[in-house]
Amino acid sequence: MARLVIAGGGFAGFWAAAAAVRLRRDAPSLASLEILLISRDDQLVIRPRLYEPDPSRMVVPLVPRLEAIGVQFERGEINSIDVAGAKVQLAASAVSYDRLVLATGSQLARPAGTLGACGFDIDTLAGAAAFDRHLHELAARPESEGRWTVVIAGGGFTGIELATALPGRLLEIAGAGKVRVIVVDPASCIGASLGDGPQPAIRDALVAAGIEVRTGVTIASADLAGLVLSTGERIGCQTLVWTTGMRASPLAAKISARIDALGRIEVTPELRVSGLDHVFAAGDVAHATADGGHAILQSCQHAQVTGRFAGYNATADLAALPLQAYRQPLYTTCLDLGAAGAVLTKGWDRTVEATGEHAKAIKRRINTQLIYPPAEAEAILAAAAPVVMDEELFHRRILQKRA
Ligand SMILES: Cc1cc2nc3c(=O)[nH]c(=O)nc-3n(C[C@H](O)[C@H](O)[C@H](O)COP(=O)(O)OP(=O)(O)OC[C@H]3O[C@@H](n4cnc5c(N)ncnc54)[C@H](O)[C@@H]3O)c2cc1C
């Protein structure tokens, strides 16, 4: 009996498993295929929501869904992958595979050393929960310098969503009073990586929320009472949060030397790891190319779609069925801007499609519905086909109107 192993139970891994089951259901020669998903947690963490209050809610139990579609689950930490012997190595056992989908995602790129050891993150469930607990614990502290000052290191997508959410979150805990949120970024403007289109909406939202920015600078040192910027400015603050980008799971670099600057592994158009016949990769760990030659981003939307293609192709490969080249013609972003609403952009040039309350309603729907996997087997399998997000689907699913 052949075995497909999927490493990682995030968006990419879950949808890889579902796509594999769907093909197994449809191809008689695959009837005896064993599909096993291995992950360190038995929950799918909804990472895009970890900037919100009460982050411990942001999980979906994996086991009932996997059981419903006939996928085995093993909870464990994968320490290494023996590609020559076709085995994944867990703490106390090794699991062999006929095909592997690597979907072990990414982790925050924290600065090294004592600086990175200081402060919080919202990258993992545990990190976001610790940050949330800390905000509530501030209420019990005596009045002191920087008690209600939060510095966010990194003004990219995650930093902006957290910054614009924080004044409301802090005021709810602190009651009326002075809260201060400061975003620090080495680039010349906040949200530089998000392109020109959304810049006015981002700027207006930061100003309206009273968020301070320090651009063109880095954090030189930090301790529990405050930090010092590269300009020499000292900021009294009892809360520092790192949102300094993501790096691919270190397993990628352990199995291939063909790694990009984010630590992602090079894959073919079918998402097979270059040079490794039996290994496919998807999501934040894969350097895949979307339509138009754009390298995918470490994003939920790319993880969900590459996951489906990788799961389908790894399974099709076992049955000598034709593989499908990964396609994702449309790229969209919806950036939460707190009390100012949100900004929705379409395309790699990030043309603004909606702002304010209209975009916020779309963001709410994405965050509370569209990125959640269904619970019922039939619905999971119906959604597991490697379909591509195109103009028509964008209008129907995101804008909820006809193209
Ligand atoms: C705060 C925040 C906000 C975000 N907002 C957005 C957004 O608005 N839109 C968007 O598109 N994207 C957003 N993202 C990015 C998005 O969450 C990721 O791109 C997405 O989660 C990637 O999915 P993945 O399945 O590739 O990896 P992950 O979600 O990282 O899942 C990887 C899985 O593998 C497991 N794993 C990892 N290593 C091992 C190991 N060695 N052994 C066993 N298991 C392992 C992990 O526990 C996890 O279950 C955000 C991310 C963060 C942190």
Side-chain angles (χ1 to χ4, degrees), residues 8-13 39-41 47-48 50 76-78 103-106 122-123 157-158 161 246 251 282-284 298-301 303 363:
F11 293 99
S39 196
R40 63 165 70 108
D41 304 308
R47 288 175 78 198
L50 294 182
E77 181 73 23
I78 300 169
T104 43
S106 61
I122 55 164
D123 188 56
F157 195 98
T158 302
E161 289 201 325
M246 301 188 288
L251 287 174
D284 283 4
Q298 288 179 308
S299 69
C300 184
Q301 64 186 297
K363 181 71 178 182

PDB file of all heavy atoms in Angstrom, residues 8-13 39-41 47-48 50 76-78 103-106 122-123 157-158 161 246 251 282-284 298-301 303 363, ligand 1:
ATOM      1  N   GLY A   8       2.892  19.036   8.075  1.00  0.00           N
ATOM      2  CA  GLY A   8       2.385  20.366   8.419  1.00  0.00           C
ATOM      3  C   GLY A   8       0.879  20.442   8.294  1.00  0.00           C
ATOM      4  O   GLY A   8       0.309  20.058   7.260  1.00  0.00           O
ATOM      5  N   GLY A   9       0.253  20.937   9.343  1.00  0.00           N
ATOM      6  CA  GLY A   9      -1.216  21.008   9.367  1.00  0.00           C
ATOM      7  C   GLY A   9      -1.734  22.427   9.364  1.00  0.00           C
ATOM      8  O   GLY A   9      -2.668  22.773  10.094  1.00  0.00           O
ATOM      9  N   GLY A  10      -1.117  23.269   8.525  1.00  0.00           N
ATOM     10  CA  GLY A  10      -1.645  24.625   8.335  1.00  0.00           C
ATOM     11  C   GLY A  10      -2.561  24.641   7.116  1.00  0.00           C
ATOM     12  O   GLY A  10      -3.110  23.604   6.716  1.00  0.00           O
ATOM     13  N   PHE A  11      -2.726  25.812   6.525  1.00  0.00           N
ATOM     14  CA  PHE A  11      -3.635  25.941   5.371  1.00  0.00           C
ATOM     15  C   PHE A  11      -3.168  25.060   4.202  1.00  0.00           C
ATOM     16  O   PHE A  11      -3.965  24.364   3.576  1.00  0.00           O
ATOM     17  CB  PHE A  11      -3.708  27.394   4.907  1.00  0.00           C
ATOM     18  CG  PHE A  11      -4.366  28.297   5.905  1.00  0.00           C
ATOM     19  CD1 PHE A  11      -3.616  29.084   6.762  1.00  0.00           C
ATOM     20  CD2 PHE A  11      -5.745  28.344   6.012  1.00  0.00           C
ATOM     21  CE1 PHE A  11      -4.223  29.904   7.697  1.00  0.00           C
ATOM     22  CE2 PHE A  11      -6.362  29.157   6.943  1.00  0.00           C
ATOM     23  CZ  PHE A  11      -5.593  29.942   7.789  1.00  0.00           C
ATOM     24  N   ALA A  12      -1.858  25.097   3.932  1.00  0.00           N
ATOM     25  CA  ALA A  12      -1.343  24.328   2.790  1.00  0.00           C
ATOM     26  C   ALA A  12      -1.492  22.836   3.048  1.00  0.00           C
ATOM     27  O   ALA A  12      -1.939  22.080   2.177  1.00  0.00           O
ATOM     28  CB  ALA A  12       0.115  24.695   2.528  1.00  0.00           C
ATOM     29  N   GLY A  13      -1.112  22.395   4.239  1.00  0.00           N
ATOM     30  CA  GLY A  13      -1.162  20.966   4.550  1.00  0.00           C
ATOM     31  C   GLY A  13      -2.579  20.435   4.562  1.00  0.00           C
ATOM     32  O   GLY A  13      -2.858  19.350   4.020  1.00  0.00           O
ATOM     33  N   SER A  39       1.737  16.789  12.115  1.00  0.00           N
ATOM     34  CA  SER A  39       1.930  18.191  12.483  1.00  0.00           C
ATOM     35  C   SER A  39       2.178  18.295  13.977  1.00  0.00           C
ATOM     36  O   SER A  39       1.772  17.427  14.739  1.00  0.00           O
ATOM     37  CB  SER A  39       0.703  19.015  12.090  1.00  0.00           C
ATOM     38  OG  SER A  39       1.016  20.391  12.112  1.00  0.00           O
ATOM     39  N   ARG A  40       2.815  19.390  14.378  1.00  0.00           N
ATOM     40  CA  ARG A  40       3.128  19.518  15.811  1.00  0.00           C
ATOM     41  C   ARG A  40       1.880  19.836  16.624  1.00  0.00           C
ATOM     42  O   ARG A  40       1.861  19.626  17.832  1.00  0.00           O
ATOM     43  CB  ARG A  40       4.226  20.552  16.041  1.00  0.00           C
ATOM     44  CG  ARG A  40       3.928  21.971  15.651  1.00  0.00           C
ATOM     45  CD  ARG A  40       4.954  22.920  16.270  1.00  0.00           C
ATOM     46  NE  ARG A  40       6.270  22.798  15.698  1.00  0.00           N
ATOM     47  CZ  ARG A  40       6.838  23.703  14.889  1.00  0.00           C
ATOM     48  NH1 ARG A  40       6.189  24.799  14.556  1.00  0.00           N
ATOM     49  NH2 ARG A  40       8.037  23.504  14.415  1.00  0.00           N
ATOM     50  N   ASP A  41       0.835  20.347  15.993  1.00  0.00           N
ATOM     51  CA  ASP A  41      -0.407  20.657  16.711  1.00  0.00           C
ATOM     52  C   ASP A  41      -1.558  19.905  16.065  1.00  0.00           C
ATOM     53  O   ASP A  41      -1.534  19.645  14.870  1.00  0.00           O
ATOM     54  CB  ASP A  41      -0.739  22.147  16.619  1.00  0.00           C
ATOM     55  CG  ASP A  41       0.389  23.000  17.132  1.00  0.00           C
ATOM     56  OD1 ASP A  41       0.838  22.746  18.253  1.00  0.00           O
ATOM     57  OD2 ASP A  41       0.828  23.910  16.398  1.00  0.00           O
ATOM     58  N   ARG A  47      -3.683  31.858  11.490  1.00  0.00           N
ATOM     59  CA  ARG A  47      -2.659  32.885  11.749  1.00  0.00           C
ATOM     60  C   ARG A  47      -3.095  34.284  11.292  1.00  0.00           C
ATOM     61  O   ARG A  47      -2.749  35.266  11.957  1.00  0.00           O
ATOM     62  CB  ARG A  47      -1.337  32.502  11.070  1.00  0.00           C
ATOM     63  CG  ARG A  47      -0.641  31.346  11.760  1.00  0.00           C
ATOM     64  CD  ARG A  47       0.596  30.906  10.987  1.00  0.00           C
ATOM     65  NE  ARG A  47       1.752  31.761  11.173  1.00  0.00           N
ATOM     66  CZ  ARG A  47       2.802  31.765  10.355  1.00  0.00           C
ATOM     67  NH1 ARG A  47       2.828  30.973   9.299  1.00  0.00           N
ATOM     68  NH2 ARG A  47       3.827  32.559  10.583  1.00  0.00           N
ATOM     69  N   PRO A  48      -3.829  34.427  10.177  1.00  0.00           N
ATOM     70  CA  PRO A  48      -4.201  35.788   9.769  1.00  0.00           C
ATOM     71  C   PRO A  48      -5.050  36.537  10.803  1.00  0.00           C
ATOM     72  O   PRO A  48      -5.209  37.746  10.701  1.00  0.00           O
ATOM     73  CB  PRO A  48      -5.007  35.570   8.473  1.00  0.00           C
ATOM     74  CG  PRO A  48      -4.460  34.293   7.926  1.00  0.00           C
ATOM     75  CD  PRO A  48      -4.164  33.441   9.140  1.00  0.00           C
ATOM     76  N   LEU A  50      -4.367  36.498  14.183  1.00  0.00           N
ATOM     77  CA  LEU A  50      -3.687  36.562  15.480  1.00  0.00           C
ATOM     78  C   LEU A  50      -3.434  37.996  15.963  1.00  0.00           C
ATOM     79  O   LEU A  50      -2.959  38.193  17.069  1.00  0.00           O
ATOM     80  CB  LEU A  50      -2.381  35.759  15.448  1.00  0.00           C
ATOM     81  CG  LEU A  50      -2.575  34.244  15.286  1.00  0.00           C
ATOM     82  CD1 LEU A  50      -1.232  33.516  15.305  1.00  0.00           C
ATOM     83  CD2 LEU A  50      -3.489  33.675  16.379  1.00  0.00           C
ATOM     84  N   GLY A  76       3.231  15.361  16.046  1.00  0.00           N
ATOM     85  CA  GLY A  76       4.654  15.208  16.341  1.00  0.00           C
ATOM     86  C   GLY A  76       5.481  16.279  15.667  1.00  0.00           C
ATOM     87  O   GLY A  76       5.022  16.952  14.738  1.00  0.00           O
ATOM     88  N   GLU A  77       6.686  16.417  16.168  1.00  0.00           N
ATOM     89  CA  GLU A  77       7.643  17.386  15.616  1.00  0.00           C
ATOM     90  C   GLU A  77       8.530  16.662  14.615  1.00  0.00           C
ATOM     91  O   GLU A  77       9.172  15.660  14.954  1.00  0.00           O
ATOM     92  CB  GLU A  77       8.480  17.950  16.772  1.00  0.00           C
ATOM     93  CG  GLU A  77       9.506  18.986  16.373  1.00  0.00           C
ATOM     94  CD  GLU A  77       8.878  20.333  16.016  1.00  0.00           C
ATOM     95  OE1 GLU A  77       7.751  20.620  16.471  1.00  0.00           O
ATOM     96  OE2 GLU A  77       9.525  21.087  15.260  1.00  0.00           O
ATOM     97  N   ILE A  78       8.552  17.124  13.387  1.00  0.00           N
ATOM     98  CA  ILE A  78       9.444  16.517  12.389  1.00  0.00           C
ATOM     99  C   ILE A  78      10.813  17.173  12.539  1.00  0.00           C
ATOM    100  O   ILE A  78      10.943  18.389  12.364  1.00  0.00           O
ATOM    101  CB  ILE A  78       8.876  16.718  10.968  1.00  0.00           C
ATOM    102  CG1 ILE A  78       7.499  16.053  10.869  1.00  0.00           C
ATOM    103  CG2 ILE A  78       9.839  16.162   9.922  1.00  0.00           C
ATOM    104  CD1 ILE A  78       6.735  16.407   9.614  1.00  0.00           C
ATOM    105  N   ALA A 103       4.796  21.023   3.914  1.00  0.00           N
ATOM    106  CA  ALA A 103       3.919  22.186   4.111  1.00  0.00           C
ATOM    107  C   ALA A 103       4.088  22.695   5.543  1.00  0.00           C
ATOM    108  O   ALA A 103       3.116  22.954   6.247  1.00  0.00           O
ATOM    109  CB  ALA A 103       2.461  21.788   3.839  1.00  0.00           C
ATOM    110  N   THR A 104       5.350  22.818   5.937  1.00  0.00           N
ATOM    111  CA  THR A 104       5.619  23.188   7.329  1.00  0.00           C
ATOM    112  C   THR A 104       5.703  24.701   7.541  1.00  0.00           C
ATOM    113  O   THR A 104       6.143  25.166   8.600  1.00  0.00           O
ATOM    114  CB  THR A 104       6.915  22.495   7.833  1.00  0.00           C
ATOM    115  OG1 THR A 104       7.914  22.572   6.807  1.00  0.00           O
ATOM    116  CG2 THR A 104       6.659  21.043   8.179  1.00  0.00           C
ATOM    117  N   GLY A 105       5.265  25.469   6.551  1.00  0.00           N
ATOM    118  CA  GLY A 105       5.002  26.888   6.758  1.00  0.00           C
ATOM    119  C   GLY A 105       6.206  27.746   7.067  1.00  0.00           C
ATOM    120  O   GLY A 105       7.296  27.555   6.514  1.00  0.00           O
ATOM    121  N   SER A 106       5.985  28.706   7.953  1.00  0.00           N
ATOM    122  CA  SER A 106       6.998  29.733   8.205  1.00  0.00           C
ATOM    123  C   SER A 106       6.976  30.142   9.663  1.00  0.00           C
ATOM    124  O   SER A 106       6.071  29.772  10.412  1.00  0.00           O
ATOM    125  CB  SER A 106       6.690  30.958   7.348  1.00  0.00           C
ATOM    126  OG  SER A 106       5.417  31.463   7.723  1.00  0.00           O
ATOM    127  N   ILE A 122       3.140  37.952  17.394  1.00  0.00           N
ATOM    128  CA  ILE A 122       1.788  37.437  17.148  1.00  0.00           C
ATOM    129  C   ILE A 122       1.858  36.434  15.999  1.00  0.00           C
ATOM    130  O   ILE A 122       0.951  36.303  15.198  1.00  0.00           O
ATOM    131  CB  ILE A 122       0.768  38.574  16.857  1.00  0.00           C
ATOM    132  CG1 ILE A 122       1.238  39.452  15.680  1.00  0.00           C
ATOM    133  CG2 ILE A 122       0.532  39.416  18.091  1.00  0.00           C
ATOM    134  CD1 ILE A 122       0.131  40.332  15.107  1.00  0.00           C
ATOM    135  N   ASP A 123       2.972  35.707  15.955  1.00  0.00           N
ATOM    136  CA  ASP A 123       3.223  34.782  14.855  1.00  0.00           C
ATOM    137  C   ASP A 123       2.603  33.413  15.100  1.00  0.00           C
ATOM    138  O   ASP A 123       2.171  32.742  14.167  1.00  0.00           O
ATOM    139  CB  ASP A 123       4.745  34.643  14.685  1.00  0.00           C
ATOM    140  CG  ASP A 123       5.100  33.866  13.445  1.00  0.00           C
ATOM    141  OD1 ASP A 123       4.662  34.275  12.358  1.00  0.00           O
ATOM    142  OD2 ASP A 123       5.793  32.842  13.557  1.00  0.00           O
ATOM    143  N   PHE A 157       2.500  44.274   6.430  1.00  0.00           N
ATOM    144  CA  PHE A 157       1.085  43.904   6.516  1.00  0.00           C
ATOM    145  C   PHE A 157       0.654  43.632   7.973  1.00  0.00           C
ATOM    146  O   PHE A 157      -0.292  44.229   8.490  1.00  0.00           O
ATOM    147  CB  PHE A 157       0.876  42.654   5.646  1.00  0.00           C
ATOM    148  CG  PHE A 157      -0.547  42.355   5.338  1.00  0.00           C
ATOM    149  CD1 PHE A 157      -1.112  42.748   4.141  1.00  0.00           C
ATOM    150  CD2 PHE A 157      -1.346  41.683   6.251  1.00  0.00           C
ATOM    151  CE1 PHE A 157      -2.444  42.470   3.858  1.00  0.00           C
ATOM    152  CE2 PHE A 157      -2.667  41.405   5.982  1.00  0.00           C
ATOM    153  CZ  PHE A 157      -3.216  41.792   4.770  1.00  0.00           C
ATOM    154  N   THR A 158       1.405  42.744   8.646  1.00  0.00           N
ATOM    155  CA  THR A 158       1.021  42.349  10.002  1.00  0.00           C
ATOM    156  C   THR A 158       1.174  43.503  10.982  1.00  0.00           C
ATOM    157  O   THR A 158       0.318  43.717  11.853  1.00  0.00           O
ATOM    158  CB  THR A 158       1.876  41.143  10.456  1.00  0.00           C
ATOM    159  OG1 THR A 158       1.671  40.082   9.523  1.00  0.00           O
ATOM    160  CG2 THR A 158       1.494  40.659  11.831  1.00  0.00           C
ATOM    161  N   GLU A 161      -1.774  45.909  10.552  1.00  0.00           N
ATOM    162  CA  GLU A 161      -3.038  45.388  11.099  1.00  0.00           C
ATOM    163  C   GLU A 161      -3.022  45.429  12.627  1.00  0.00           C
ATOM    164  O   GLU A 161      -4.015  45.786  13.263  1.00  0.00           O
ATOM    165  CB  GLU A 161      -3.293  43.965  10.591  1.00  0.00           C
ATOM    166  CG  GLU A 161      -3.656  43.933   9.109  1.00  0.00           C
ATOM    167  CD  GLU A 161      -4.396  42.674   8.678  1.00  0.00           C
ATOM    168  OE1 GLU A 161      -4.097  41.606   9.221  1.00  0.00           O
ATOM    169  OE2 GLU A 161      -5.272  42.787   7.803  1.00  0.00           O
ATOM    170  N   MET A 246       8.540  36.941   7.799  1.00  0.00           N
ATOM    171  CA  MET A 246       8.530  35.504   8.069  1.00  0.00           C
ATOM    172  C   MET A 246       9.640  34.821   7.268  1.00  0.00           C
ATOM    173  O   MET A 246      10.004  35.274   6.184  1.00  0.00           O
ATOM    174  CB  MET A 246       7.177  34.913   7.689  1.00  0.00           C
ATOM    175  CG  MET A 246       6.030  35.567   8.473  1.00  0.00           C
ATOM    176  SD  MET A 246       4.433  34.766   8.244  1.00  0.00           S
ATOM    177  CE  MET A 246       3.997  35.220   6.598  1.00  0.00           C
ATOM    178  N   LEU A 251      13.115  23.163   7.725  1.00  0.00           N
ATOM    179  CA  LEU A 251      13.195  21.856   7.040  1.00  0.00           C
ATOM    180  C   LEU A 251      13.501  22.034   5.551  1.00  0.00           C
ATOM    181  O   LEU A 251      14.115  21.166   4.928  1.00  0.00           O
ATOM    182  CB  LEU A 251      11.882  21.078   7.211  1.00  0.00           C
ATOM    183  CG  LEU A 251      11.623  20.501   8.611  1.00  0.00           C
ATOM    184  CD1 LEU A 251      10.230  19.898   8.688  1.00  0.00           C
ATOM    185  CD2 LEU A 251      12.687  19.473   8.983  1.00  0.00           C
ATOM    186  N   ALA A 282       4.389  23.185  -0.656  1.00  0.00           N
ATOM    187  CA  ALA A 282       3.298  24.153  -0.816  1.00  0.00           C
ATOM    188  C   ALA A 282       3.302  25.141   0.339  1.00  0.00           C
ATOM    189  O   ALA A 282       3.842  24.873   1.409  1.00  0.00           O
ATOM    190  CB  ALA A 282       1.959  23.411  -0.854  1.00  0.00           C
ATOM    191  N   GLY A 283       2.663  26.279   0.095  1.00  0.00           N
ATOM    192  CA  GLY A 283       2.499  27.283   1.149  1.00  0.00           C
ATOM    193  C   GLY A 283       3.768  28.078   1.396  1.00  0.00           C
ATOM    194  O   GLY A 283       4.601  28.271   0.508  1.00  0.00           O
ATOM    195  N   ASP A 284       3.931  28.534   2.638  1.00  0.00           N
ATOM    196  CA  ASP A 284       5.007  29.469   2.983  1.00  0.00           C
ATOM    197  C   ASP A 284       6.402  28.883   2.813  1.00  0.00           C
ATOM    198  O   ASP A 284       7.385  29.618   2.815  1.00  0.00           O
ATOM    199  CB  ASP A 284       4.862  29.912   4.443  1.00  0.00           C
ATOM    200  CG  ASP A 284       3.767  30.953   4.623  1.00  0.00           C
ATOM    201  OD1 ASP A 284       3.079  31.280   3.642  1.00  0.00           O
ATOM    202  OD2 ASP A 284       3.610  31.433   5.760  1.00  0.00           O
ATOM    203  N   GLN A 298       4.183  34.753   1.034  1.00  0.00           N
ATOM    204  CA  GLN A 298       3.871  33.913   2.194  1.00  0.00           C
ATOM    205  C   GLN A 298       2.529  34.401   2.705  1.00  0.00           C
ATOM    206  O   GLN A 298       2.431  35.307   3.526  1.00  0.00           O
ATOM    207  CB  GLN A 298       4.987  34.021   3.227  1.00  0.00           C
ATOM    208  CG  GLN A 298       6.242  33.288   2.736  1.00  0.00           C
ATOM    209  CD  GLN A 298       7.395  33.370   3.686  1.00  0.00           C
ATOM    210  OE1 GLN A 298       7.752  34.459   4.098  1.00  0.00           O
ATOM    211  NE2 GLN A 298       8.000  32.251   4.023  1.00  0.00           N
ATOM    212  N   SER A 299       1.479  33.824   2.149  1.00  0.00           N
ATOM    213  CA  SER A 299       0.130  34.300   2.424  1.00  0.00           C
ATOM    214  C   SER A 299      -0.824  33.114   2.450  1.00  0.00           C
ATOM    215  O   SER A 299      -0.576  32.074   1.840  1.00  0.00           O
ATOM    216  CB  SER A 299      -0.315  35.287   1.337  1.00  0.00           C
ATOM    217  OG  SER A 299      -0.507  34.589   0.125  1.00  0.00           O
ATOM    218  N   CYS A 300      -1.906  33.351   3.164  1.00  0.00           N
ATOM    219  CA  CYS A 300      -2.929  32.328   3.300  1.00  0.00           C
ATOM    220  C   CYS A 300      -3.522  31.953   1.937  1.00  0.00           C
ATOM    221  O   CYS A 300      -3.732  30.788   1.627  1.00  0.00           O
ATOM    222  CB  CYS A 300      -3.986  32.941   4.206  1.00  0.00           C
ATOM    223  SG  CYS A 300      -5.275  31.885   4.635  1.00  0.00           S
ATOM    224  N   GLN A 301      -3.756  32.984   1.110  1.00  0.00           N
ATOM    225  CA  GLN A 301      -4.398  32.690  -0.181  1.00  0.00           C
ATOM    226  C   GLN A 301      -3.499  31.823  -1.062  1.00  0.00           C
ATOM    227  O   GLN A 301      -3.984  30.929  -1.757  1.00  0.00           O
ATOM    228  CB  GLN A 301      -4.800  33.972  -0.917  1.00  0.00           C
ATOM    229  CG  GLN A 301      -3.669  34.859  -1.317  1.00  0.00           C
ATOM    230  CD  GLN A 301      -4.141  36.177  -1.907  1.00  0.00           C
ATOM    231  OE1 GLN A 301      -4.783  36.179  -2.946  1.00  0.00           O
ATOM    232  NE2 GLN A 301      -3.853  37.278  -1.253  1.00  0.00           N
ATOM    233  N   ALA A 303      -1.106  29.803   0.135  1.00  0.00           N
ATOM    234  CA  ALA A 303      -0.955  28.504   0.817  1.00  0.00           C
ATOM    235  C   ALA A 303      -2.139  27.589   0.501  1.00  0.00           C
ATOM    236  O   ALA A 303      -1.968  26.399   0.235  1.00  0.00           O
ATOM    237  CB  ALA A 303      -0.832  28.713   2.319  1.00  0.00           C
ATOM    238  N   LYS A 363     -13.265  42.166   4.676  1.00  0.00           N
ATOM    239  CA  LYS A 363     -12.225  41.612   5.552  1.00  0.00           C
ATOM    240  C   LYS A 363     -12.863  40.696   6.613  1.00  0.00           C
ATOM    241  O   LYS A 363     -12.356  39.615   6.900  1.00  0.00           O
ATOM    242  CB  LYS A 363     -11.458  42.750   6.234  1.00  0.00           C
ATOM    243  CG  LYS A 363     -10.336  42.296   7.157  1.00  0.00           C
ATOM    244  CD  LYS A 363      -9.160  41.730   6.386  1.00  0.00           C
ATOM    245  CE  LYS A 363      -8.025  41.324   7.314  1.00  0.00           C
ATOM    246  NZ  LYS A 363      -6.864  40.820   6.572  1.00  0.00           N
TER     247      LYS A 363
HETATM  248  C1  LIG B   1      -0.359  37.801  12.322  1.00  0.00           C
HETATM  249  C2  LIG B   1      -0.438  37.271  10.918  1.00  0.00           C
HETATM  250  C3  LIG B   1      -1.344  37.835  10.023  1.00  0.00           C
HETATM  251  C4  LIG B   1      -1.441  37.341   8.732  1.00  0.00           C
HETATM  252  N1  LIG B   1      -2.363  37.908   7.890  1.00  0.00           N
HETATM  253  C5  LIG B   1      -2.531  37.380   6.672  1.00  0.00           C
HETATM  254  C6  LIG B   1      -3.544  37.893   5.806  1.00  0.00           C
HETATM  255  O1  LIG B   1      -4.284  38.819   6.149  1.00  0.00           O
HETATM  256  N2  LIG B   1      -3.683  37.334   4.578  1.00  0.00           N
HETATM  257  C7  LIG B   1      -2.885  36.296   4.177  1.00  0.00           C
HETATM  258  O2  LIG B   1      -3.078  35.812   3.048  1.00  0.00           O
HETATM  259  N3  LIG B   1      -1.930  35.784   4.965  1.00  0.00           N
HETATM  260  C8  LIG B   1      -1.724  36.304   6.205  1.00  0.00           C
HETATM  261  N4  LIG B   1      -0.754  35.791   7.018  1.00  0.00           N
HETATM  262  C9  LIG B   1       0.125  34.729   6.508  1.00  0.00           C
HETATM  263  C10 LIG B   1      -0.531  33.366   6.595  1.00  0.00           C
HETATM  264  O3  LIG B   1      -1.000  33.124   7.887  1.00  0.00           O
HETATM  265  C11 LIG B   1       0.483  32.307   6.194  1.00  0.00           C
HETATM  266  O4  LIG B   1       0.969  32.630   4.916  1.00  0.00           O
HETATM  267  C12 LIG B   1      -0.177  30.937   6.174  1.00  0.00           C
HETATM  268  O5  LIG B   1      -0.529  30.563   7.473  1.00  0.00           O
HETATM  269  C13 LIG B   1       0.752  29.911   5.548  1.00  0.00           C
HETATM  270  O6  LIG B   1       0.150  28.658   5.588  1.00  0.00           O
HETATM  271  P1  LIG B   1       1.065  27.349   5.602  1.00  0.00           P
HETATM  272  O7  LIG B   1       0.135  26.195   5.705  1.00  0.00           O
HETATM  273  O8  LIG B   1       2.041  27.397   4.517  1.00  0.00           O
HETATM  274  O9  LIG B   1       1.925  27.470   6.951  1.00  0.00           O
HETATM  275  P2  LIG B   1       1.499  27.580   8.457  1.00  0.00           P
HETATM  276  O10 LIG B   1       0.210  28.249   8.645  1.00  0.00           O
HETATM  277  O11 LIG B   1       2.727  28.166   9.094  1.00  0.00           O
HETATM  278  O12 LIG B   1       1.332  26.071   8.915  1.00  0.00           O
HETATM  279  C14 LIG B   1       2.441  25.209   9.022  1.00  0.00           C
HETATM  280  C15 LIG B   1       2.052  24.033   9.885  1.00  0.00           C
HETATM  281  O13 LIG B   1       3.164  23.133   9.973  1.00  0.00           O
HETATM  282  C16 LIG B   1       3.432  22.810  11.331  1.00  0.00           C
HETATM  283  N5  LIG B   1       4.869  22.585  11.455  1.00  0.00           N
HETATM  284  C17 LIG B   1       5.852  23.451  11.173  1.00  0.00           C
HETATM  285  N6  LIG B   1       7.054  22.875  11.379  1.00  0.00           N
HETATM  286  C18 LIG B   1       6.807  21.617  11.788  1.00  0.00           C
HETATM  287  C19 LIG B   1       7.641  20.539  12.165  1.00  0.00           C
HETATM  288  N7  LIG B   1       8.975  20.621  12.143  1.00  0.00           N
HETATM  289  N8  LIG B   1       7.048  19.381  12.557  1.00  0.00           N
HETATM  290  C20 LIG B   1       5.704  19.269  12.578  1.00  0.00           C
HETATM  291  N9  LIG B   1       4.874  20.264  12.215  1.00  0.00           N
HETATM  292  C21 LIG B   1       5.416  21.434  11.841  1.00  0.00           C
HETATM  293  C22 LIG B   1       2.962  24.038  12.098  1.00  0.00           C
HETATM  294  O14 LIG B   1       2.701  23.728  13.450  1.00  0.00           O
HETATM  295  C23 LIG B   1       1.694  24.393  11.313  1.00  0.00           C
HETATM  296  O15 LIG B   1       0.627  23.596  11.723  1.00  0.00           O
HETATM  297  C24 LIG B   1      -0.621  36.260   8.321  1.00  0.00           C
HETATM  298  C25 LIG B   1       0.281  35.678   9.217  1.00  0.00           C
HETATM  299  C26 LIG B   1       0.392  36.172  10.502  1.00  0.00           C
HETATM  300  C27 LIG B   1       1.363  35.545  11.473  1.00  0.00           C
END
